[in-house]
Amino acid sequence: MITRVFVAGGTGVLGRRLVPQLLVRGHRVTATTTTADRLGLLRGLGADAVVMDGLDAASVGKAVADARPEVIVHQMTAISRTHAGKPDVKHPDRWFALTNRLRREGTDHLPAAAGATGVSHVVAQGCAPWNGNREGGWAKAEEDPLDVLEGTAAQAGLETLRYAEEAVLRAGGAFLRYGAFHGPGGVDDQVELLRKRQ
């Protein structure tokens, strides 16, 4: 069965890996980027490519309406050096500032566009490493409350993850709590961060 899938954030680290996997399974993919100079990358992967500003409701609404997808996948972040600069684990509030906006505003815009165009499935990405509340045992279930590390520089980002998760679930979608990832195009500095015990 061929499904029309809309990948918001198609030129990101995960988007560039997800798009080919969807295509090889026979799905029709429209993928987004924030700049026209990256449209060729998406077309080279085999996707229909579109420029979209995930922070602009009208831009998101038009892109989704034009693509007419059956599924929307939210992969928008701004964690790369291009968008966020050098990884700064001591100041995640600064390093993730634009990603936090995409996870709030972008998360609001995508389900709204889905509802306006009749898209029944929305899948969004989040992050799992810091989600476990410090009460009880080490193993956590989906129902356990999230720890926002109140009073730390990470609080804003963790509250944003909680907000995005609740918004997507309220819209009837699925929220995936990703673990840490590394490799080409990812946070290539992870080895150095590990060496520094950061």
Side-chain angles (χ1 to χ4, degrees):
M1 185 171 98
I2 296 174
T3 302
R4 293 189 312 275
V5 182
F6 184 89
V7 179
T11 56
V13 173
L14 295 179
R16 286 192 317 262
R17 279 136 185 96
L18 174 62
V19 167
Q21 290 181 39
L22 291 167
L23 290 165
V24 80
R25 287 169 174 78
H27 301 300
R28 176 80 188 259
V29 178
T30 298
T32 74
T33 182
T34 56
T35 60
D37 63 333
R38 302 193 84 190
L39 291 171
L41 170 68
L42 293 172
R43 291 180 183 130
L45 294 174
D48 295 330
V50 63
V51 173
M52 182 186 84
D53 178 354
L55 298 174
D56 182 303
S59 177
V60 173
K62 180 175 182 344
V64 170
D66 290 348
R68 298 178 298 113
E70 297 162 277
V71 176
I72 293 175
V73 181
H74 177 352
Q75 294 291 336
M76 296 185 297
T77 63
I79 302 171
S80 71
R81 280 182 177 267
T82 303
H83 296 293
K86 183 177 179 183
D88 187 355
V89 294
K90 291 183 180 180
H91 303 100
D93 50 336
R94 287 184 253 177
W95 184 25
F96 281 85
L98 185 52
T99 292
N100 288 341
R101 286 191 64 204
L102 287 165
R103 286 181 173 158
R104 270 191 189 268
E105 296 167 48
T107 299
D108 287 341
H109 300 329
L110 287 166
T117 57
V119 178
S120 58
H121 302 291
V122 176
V123 179
Q125 54 84 18
C127 186
W130 300 285
N131 284 359
N133 190 308
R134 295 173 189 218
E135 298 173 4
W138 283 97
K140 301 299 178 190
E142 296 291 321
E143 297 76 29
D144 287 323
L146 304 177
D147 185 356
V148 297
L149 300 177
E150 193 169 329
T152 71
Q155 183 175 349
L158 296 172
E159 286 177 342
T160 296
L161 282 169
R162 182 171 59 191
Y163 173 88
E165 183 167 324
E166 290 171 356
V168 169
L169 294 176
R170 250 191 333 273
F175 195 84
L176 306 176
R177 293 179 181 172
Y178 294 169
F181 61 94
H182 60 88
V187 180
D188 300 320
D189 301 41
Q190 280 195 10
V191 172
E192 187 58 33
L193 295 174
L194 288 168
R195 284 187 183 125
K196 293 179 179 178
R197 297 176 186 241
Q198 294 179 338

